[in-house]
Each structure stands twice: as C-alpha cells, then as structure tokens.
Amino acid sequence: MTPTLRRKLEALAERREELERLLADPGVIGDSERFRNFSREFSQLEPLATAMAEEKRAQADLAAAQAMRDDPELAELADEEIAAAQQRLMQLDDELMLLLLPKDTRDDGNLFLEVRAGTGGDEAAIFAGDLFRMYARYAERQGWKVEIESDSPGEHGGYKEIVARVVGRGAYSKLKFESGTHRVQRVPETESQGRIHTSAATVAIIPDVDEVDDIVINPADLKVDTFRSSGAGGQHVNKTESAIRITHVPSGVVVECQTERSQHANRDKAMKRLKAQLLDAERSKQQAAQAETRKLQVGSGDRSQRIRTYNFPQGRITDHRVEGLTLYDLPNIIQGDLDELIDRLGREHLADELARLTEAA
C-alpha cells in the first residue's frame, strides 16, 4: 500500500475515534438527526477499524516470529509463523484497499425498475416482458417486493413499457449495473418462416433515495394529466380518472402511476419517481464526466449503451462491457438465476475502482 493510501486509512481511523467521542456527547444525543447521521457514519467505519486492529495483531505476530529465529531450536517453527503472518498481512492489505473505496450510499436502498420495448415491434415488447419477469423472479429469490407502478401491455404479449418499484435491502447494489440496452437474438413467436430476428429493450435502474425529499420542483414546470387506469383493480379504478401522468417540461421526463385507488396517492407516487429520475439524471451527468477517460464503464447508466446480448439459439448471454463475460446458461438466467452474472459485474466494478484509487495515489 502506498504512503498516500496509508495516510487516508489513518485519517479515517481518526475520524472514527472522533465520532465515538461525539456519540457520547449529550448535545449530540439530544439532536436526533445529528445522532443518526453520526451513528451511520460510525457503523460504516467499523469494518475498517476491525481490519486495522487485525493488521496490528498480524504485525505483532510477525515481529514475535522473527525474534524466535534467534533460537536455533525454534527457527523452523519461526519460518512457518513468519510465512503465515506475511500471508495474513497481504490479505489484510487487500481488505483495507477495498474498504478505502467510497461507499455508494444508495446501495442498501430500493429502486425503480423501468423496462421499455425498443426496436423490433411486437417481439421487442415480448422481450421486454421476458426481462421484467427475469428481474421479478430474481427479486423473489432475494426476498424483495416488486410493486408495479404503471404498465402498457404489448398487443401480442409482453410490455411496451412497465415501471415497478423494487423494495428490499441491497436491491440497488445488486441491480445497478443493469441499466442500458439489452439485445435479443431468437426466432420470434410471430415469425412463420423460422428466421432469427434481432430486437431490443431498454432497462433503467433508478435509485429510490431519501434525497428526493430535498428536491424542489417549480409547479409551473409540470404538466399534469389524469386518465382512467387500464390495469386490474376492479370497477372503481376503471370508472374514475384516478391515474396520473406528470410531464416535467424542462427535461421532458414523463412519469405515470395508476396503481392506487385515489388520484392523490397516485400523484404522490408519481412525484416521488419524477424526483428520483431528475436526481439520477444529474448524477449520471457527473459520473459520465468523471468516467470519460475510463476504459471500463460498468454501471455508467447510459440507456443508449448496448450492454448485453441474449442469443437463444446458442443459449448464450454476453455482456459487452466486460471482456470475456459470456455465459452459456441462458435458459436459467432468463428465469431469474442472475447471481453469477451480477457477481461478475460487481467484481469488475471493484477492480476498476481499485485501479482508479491506486492511480490517484
């Protein structure tokens, strides 16, 4: 580890000690918001403090083993303990490097999942439906809840567009690399001559974060329309104009919600999603500027970027952002078995971030 990174570690360790003192301060204890923020920061630094304590013990073990070398009868044992201590220090060095990476505060939170049919007509809508079911089944395996906010069914199945909220701890951290254009190659159900077609759908993963409450939107910038819900919900939903469509005129962002019985509840949900989209768009601009010189842009969030191809005749799925990431397990993956794919993307992202951290040092 470079001296610069070591100084960063020591600064974080000092910050943890400072937080420990602050959390015992009666003035902080009496201020619930400050106490909550400091407690969250303290818990985030706890793994780093644990790793540094283990490193200190391993260094002490190494020094003790090196001292044993002076005794000829213990030299062989000393060599074994020196090797073990050095191996442990190398592992801890890697762990501490990972802990130095800035944590995405949105990782533990919920998200909005948006899937839209792209080029390919009816087949694109069918594929969009396949993608949504893939994510819904993966969410079910994780114990998360999927709440559909709005949908527009395709004429021959699937969806022209579907928006859902995924609720569960760590949902965003798992799915945040899914944004982009997904391409499918297969013989469509609507194809009578058995020809392989190429179609596409876009996926957007938008974090559902607390900061949206701080976003102020000028009411004059909004165009609000009401309409009758087209989804399930009984006579009430179909007979009243409870569904809401909000257009943010300056950005062109449009959100809809039709799942609640009352217009007021649908408006609240739609406004929350609109704010989340505007916040995500601003962050994406900043990330794009920062990532301009990066070779690997896993998780760039660019929906126009073709990120993945699903080739059904070969049972193959290829992620184009990572060299060599091709899996021949498409039938299981499309049924929601995404673990291997998501884990690989996460590891590539960590490697990329570590490379940036080392370069900056």
Side-chain angles (χ1 to χ4, degrees), residues 219-238:
D221 290 339
L222 301 179
K223 181 177 179 290
V224 182
D225 299 304
T226 60
F227 59 98
R228 292 184 183 182
S229 170
S230 60
Q235 295 180 350
H236 171 85
V237 202
N238 295 321

Side-chain angles (χ1 to χ4, degrees), residues 27 60 87 98 110 135 140 176 179 190 232 259 286 306 336 343:
Q87 179 66 28
L98 288 174
N110 308 321
Y135 293 124
E140 183 180 354
K176 63 182 178 181
S179 290
T190 53
T259 55
Q286 296 171 0
R306 188 190 71 182
D343 289 348

Side-chain angles (χ1 to χ4, degrees), residues 7 10 18 36 38-39 81 127 132 137 139 160 163 168 180 204 217 234 236 246 284 299-300 326 344 347 350 355:
R7 284 194 294 272
E10 291 167 354
E18 180 187 9
R36 184 172 59 252
F38 287 156
S39 296
E81 293 193 4
F127 179 51
F132 176 74
R137 286 167 180 156
K160 296 176 184 175
V163 178
I217 296 178
H236 171 85
I246 301 177
S284 294
S300 67
T326 295
R344 177 69 183 277
R347 290 197 301 272
L350 279 177

Side-chain angles (χ1 to χ4, degrees), residues 5 8 97 100-102 352-361:
L5 293 179
K8 288 182 180 180
M97 286 279 286
L100 270 175
L101 294 176
D352 193 34
E353 291 296 301
L354 279 171
R356 283 206 310 132
L357 182 68
T358 306
E359 289 169 7

Side-chain angles (χ1 to χ4, degrees), residues 51 80 112 149 179-180 205 245 262 313 356:
E80 291 177 4
F112 294 105
E149 302 233 325
S179 290
I205 302 294
R245 180 185 297 110
S262 80
R356 283 206 310 132

Side-chain angles (χ1 to χ4, degrees), residues 213-338:
D213 295 330
D214 301 328
I215 295 178
V216 178
I217 296 178
N218 186 348
D221 290 339
L222 301 179
K223 181 177 179 290
V224 182
D225 299 304
T226 60
F227 59 98
R228 292 184 183 182
S229 170
S230 60
Q235 295 180 350
H236 171 85
V237 202
N238 295 321
K239 285 186 176 180
T240 63
E241 292 198 342
S242 59
I244 288 285
R245 180 185 297 110
I246 301 177
T247 303
H248 184 249
V249 178
S251 65
V253 174
V254 180
V255 294
E256 292 182 1
C257 189
Q258 55 180 301
T259 55
E260 302 300 320
R261 289 173 61 89
S262 80
Q263 191 180 107
H264 179 73
N266 279 326
R267 183 187 175 95
D268 285 348
K269 274 192 167 185
M271 280 299 296
K272 185 172 184 181
R273 207 168 90 235
L274 174 62
K275 290 180 177 182
Q277 287 211 31
L278 294 176
L279 180 62
D280 185 61
E282 183 59 34
R283 282 182 167 169
S284 294
K285 286 180 186 177
Q286 296 171 0
Q287 289 172 355
Q290 293 168 357
E292 200 169 349
T293 59
R294 291 168 61 189
K295 184 177 180 182
L296 176 66
Q297 294 191 34
V298 170
S300 67
D302 183 359
R303 298 182 208 177
S304 66
Q305 180 189 21
R306 188 190 71 182
I307 64 167
R308 196 173 293 154
T309 294
Y310 303 72
N311 186 297
F312 277 77
Q314 298 178 15
R316 167 175 58 81
I317 184 167
T318 300
D319 197 292
H320 304 290
R321 296 165 295 178
V322 179
E323 186 177 352
L325 182 43
T326 295
L327 302 175
Y328 288 87
D329 193 26
L330 183 52
N332 288 322
I333 290 171
I334 208 70
Q335 292 299 319
D337 187 5
L338 291 169

